[in-house]
Amino acid sequence: MKPVLKIKNLKKIYHDVDGEIPAIENITLDIFENELLAIVGPSGCGKTSLLSILSNLEKKSAGDISFQKENMTIGYMLQKDALFPWKTILENCLLGLEINHTLNEETKNNVIRLLKTYGLEEFMNKYPSSLSGGMKQRVALIRTLAINPDILLLDEPFSALDYQTRLALSEDVYQIIKSEGKTAILVTHDLAEAISLSDRIVVLSKRPTKVKKIYDIELTNKSTPIHNRKCKEFSTYYDLIWRDLDVHL
């Protein structure tokens, strides 16, 4: 299978008054079409820096990033929903299309389809204050999907939510990503979340970060995220990845 994204010998160095601060030492990684890839690692190791580089919000210091085709669209869903309170749900979801100058009848109808399909039809003309935290994040995902991204970047999308809402939203996000046939990269601190959602998990080392290990997540009767937590292999993956993280409190 041909990768949709190839990362080779990627490096990132920050600078301050004391000199250079190496953040990413050397990352080589392939991402394949329609896979959900999770990235885990110690706090501050450079996971968000990696997503920022892939989305062109930050410049790399060295290395190569190549896409399967030219002008691939990257969708970036942040930790906070960042919805504008004075805009309706529909208006919030159309924002990216307006910025990209791609808003037309066809793209607007696709956004309406997404809102209807994923249970937000009755809220289209309401404002974000009418929604729960989980529903706001679902809107944020649909806003990201509205631009029809080739690759979806998810940076701790559930971190601000309570445990029960996180579980419910992880089910929603998983179903939406798979139903819409998207390639996604998920950064998370939650190992259970990573194992239950992803096809592969990349474990990063401490800063300056590099790829420590990659796991293919193979679960018996693999299904939805909540079901996957009950699979017999789940605890084995959890223990192995926890040891790889080498976290000392």
Side-chain angles (χ1 to χ4, degrees):
M1 187 184 299
K2 188 176 180 181
V4 295
L5 169 61
K6 293 178 69 71
I7 304 168
K8 187 175 181 181
N9 301 326
L10 182 68
K11 295 185 179 182
K12 176 64 179 178
I13 298 171
Y14 293 101
H15 298 84
D16 67 6
V17 292
D18 297 318
E20 294 185 343
I21 303 172
I24 297 174
E25 183 176 290
N26 189 338
I27 288 183
T28 296
L29 182 63
D30 291 344
I31 292 90
F32 299 95
E33 188 172 10
N34 295 337
E35 84 164 328
L36 203 164
L37 179 82
I39 298 177
V40 300
S43 294
C45 75
K47 299 184 292 296
T48 296
S49 293
L50 176 58
L51 293 194
S52 295
I53 292 169
L54 294 179
S55 61
N56 208 30
L57 293 176
E58 291 188 36
K59 299 297 183 184
K60 65 183 188 296
S61 300
D64 295 307
I65 298 172
S66 58
F67 296 95
Q68 184 184 52
K69 62 181 183 181
E70 292 185 10
N71 301 317
M72 288 191 78
T73 304
I74 305 295
Y76 198 165
M77 183 176 170
L78 303 172
Q79 295 179 22
K80 296 182 179 179
D81 59 73
L83 300 178
F84 290 112
W86 60 88
K87 287 183 175 289
T88 66
I89 299 308
L90 178 58
E91 289 169 342
N92 268 285
C93 290
L94 296 176
L95 191 59
L97 294 170
E98 292 175 355
I99 293 171
N100 291 346
H101 305 292
T102 54
L103 178 59
N104 54 45
E105 200 64 27
E106 181 181 355
T107 56
K108 181 178 179 179
N109 285 338
N110 183 55
V111 170
I112 292 172
R113 175 190 67 81
L114 288 168
L115 289 167
K116 288 180 176 179
T117 302
Y118 300 111
L120 291 162
E121 180 178 9
E122 65 181 290
F123 298 98
M124 281 197 293
N125 297 313
K126 297 186 183 298
Y127 293 88
S129 59
S130 304
L131 304 184
S132 66
M135 292 176 75
K136 288 177 183 177
Q137 284 298 86
R138 208 187 315 165
V139 172
L141 176 60
I142 290 173
R143 180 185 57 195
T144 307
L145 290 172
I147 62 171
N148 194 26
D150 297 291
I151 299 175
L152 188 61
L153 307 180
L154 307 170
D155 188 3
E156 294 276 1
F158 317 120
S159 61
L161 305 172
D162 62 81
Y163 181 72
Q164 287 181 321
T165 305
R166 284 181 75 134
L167 285 179
L169 188 61
S170 71
E171 292 274 301
D172 290 342
V173 168
Y174 179 85
Q175 295 292 354
I176 292 171
I177 289 172
K178 292 300 183 181
S179 296
E180 298 298 320
K182 296 301 178 183
T183 303
I185 301 174
L186 167 71
V187 161
T188 180
H189 284 91
D190 189 325
L191 296 189
E193 194 169 86
I195 297 165
S196 65
L197 280 163
S198 66
D199 300 302
R200 286 192 299 155
I201 294 179
V202 176
V203 183
L204 298 182
S205 68
K206 295 177 181 177
R207 181 179 288 216
T209 195
K210 56 187 176 182
V211 175
K212 192 171 186 179
K213 198 160 186 178
I214 299 177
Y215 289 88
D216 291 308
I217 304 301
E218 298 175 353
L219 304 173
T220 303
N221 298 321
K222 190 171 184 178
S223 180
T224 64
I226 289 178
H227 170 85
N228 292 343
R229 291 170 183 251
K230 304 172 186 176
C231 292
K232 61 183 181 181
E233 301 88 356
F234 182 89
S235 60
T236 300
Y237 282 120
Y238 194 103
D239 291 341
L240 289 171
I241 297 169
W242 176 253
R243 285 200 292 268
D244 284 335
L245 289 177
D246 192 27
V247 177
H248 299 287
L249 301 179

